[in-house]
Amino acid sequence: MTAYLITSVSIVGAAPTDLLIRDGVVAEVGPGLSAPDAVAVDGAGLVALPGLVDLHTHLREPGREDAETVESGSRAAALGGYTAVCAMANTSPVADTAGVVEQVWRLGREAGLVDVQPVGAVTVGLAGERLAELGAMADSAARVRIFSDDGHCVADPLLMRRALEYVKAFDGIIAQHAEEPRLTEGAQMHEGEVSTRLGLIGWPAVAEEAIIARDVLLTEHVGSRLHVCHVSTAGSVEVLRQAKARGVRVTAEVTPHHLLLTDERAETYDPVFKVNPPLRTAADIAALRSALADGVIDIIATDHAPHAVEDKECEWAYARPGMLGLETALSIALDVLGPEWDLIAERMSRTPARIAGLTGHGVDPAPGVPANLTVIDPAARRTIEPAELASRSRNTPYARMTLPGRIVATFLRGEPTVLDGKAVK
Ligand SMILES: [Zn+2]
């Protein structure tokens, strides 16, 4: 196994030092290291972080390999600085059995670019009618710990209660896509001034907030664990703040796009800005940013949602919701948070790894820890060209925007998946 010596690199923003990777682990850290057999990587001006961990990725395989595969999505993840991703269950067939989650898990191992941890569906076929085989998925080779019908809300309160109770047996988590479906029928964008002006049916903030409020109460009642996907409103932040103050075991994520883009993007009628939950207002963005800083929102998760051209380059009303995210998330985080490396490591690596129970991930580079890490050039700026992305899809909302930061290298258990900013395989 090749060794790598990264010289003069800042580990999570600390003073520059040398970092030796050998036999899959961080072998040594300190100034003036020498390792004649190692490949030298000049780390001057660069920052090393624990490999990023995404709790919310859509890899589309099985079923929509034209939009993404486990391999292409894994490559996009590695290029974005990730070493582990949680693959959502809304594939075709749905990941609602031990067989499908094991298939996704194996495809991830075969690609070998990031650790792919499957998320299991809560209900059979995401239909919201009866519980899937949660225990069988937990006991499978994929060791599923997080369950979600993401894309759909588990709207039935009795089913949600049963799911929360069931996963207690193995300390599992229900990750909810919070959307009261009766309040969002036909919705095309955020309900507000812009939707009124454009004459599009709105998706009201309360449809998210009502489900989060219900679910934190159910979670508290049964003593289970809840994770809230893609929080998008200021009101949701307040519900979560109160729940956490009472000690409810709830965690929450925000996406990069909900930290940056507002509902005014819908004025372009460019479906690349159509997403669920929808882009909200500047006031929501301000609340989400401060919740991310103070910890009411625990993590940034991408909700990477690749879509084939025919599903996205069409009329707004017919376009599928969702945006790419893996290859741009770190840049958006840098743009939004600035070079707050400890906070970025906390929100994009340590905490998501802890929530998902991914041992070996989310650990700062130090002697003896698995070499799952990424190296960033914070001074670089790059203009996003959709055609250059590793994803099979092109639906990035940041096309031709110039963003800060570039991933220089990513290592998975000591093997580079990205070097010199390029995918190794
Ligand atoms: Zn969702």
Side-chain angles (χ1 to χ4, degrees), residues 41-42 71 73 92 94-95 106 134 192 202 204 234 255 260 268 274 297 378 389 403 405 412:
V41 177
D42 180 4
E71 185 184 341
S92 179
V94 169
R106 281 208 188 85
L134 309 185
T255 70
L260 191 71
T268 64
K274 184 173 175 180
I297 290 178
L389 297 173
L403 299 174
L412 179 65

Side-chain angles (χ1 to χ4, degrees), residues 320-345:
R320 301 282 302 276
M323 304 173 165
L324 300 183
L326 287 169
E327 293 174 74
T328 46
L330 191 276
S331 289
I332 303 300
L334 253 182
D335 192 53
V336 167
L337 301 173
E340 298 285 340
W341 298 112
D342 193 63
L343 185 63
I344 290 172

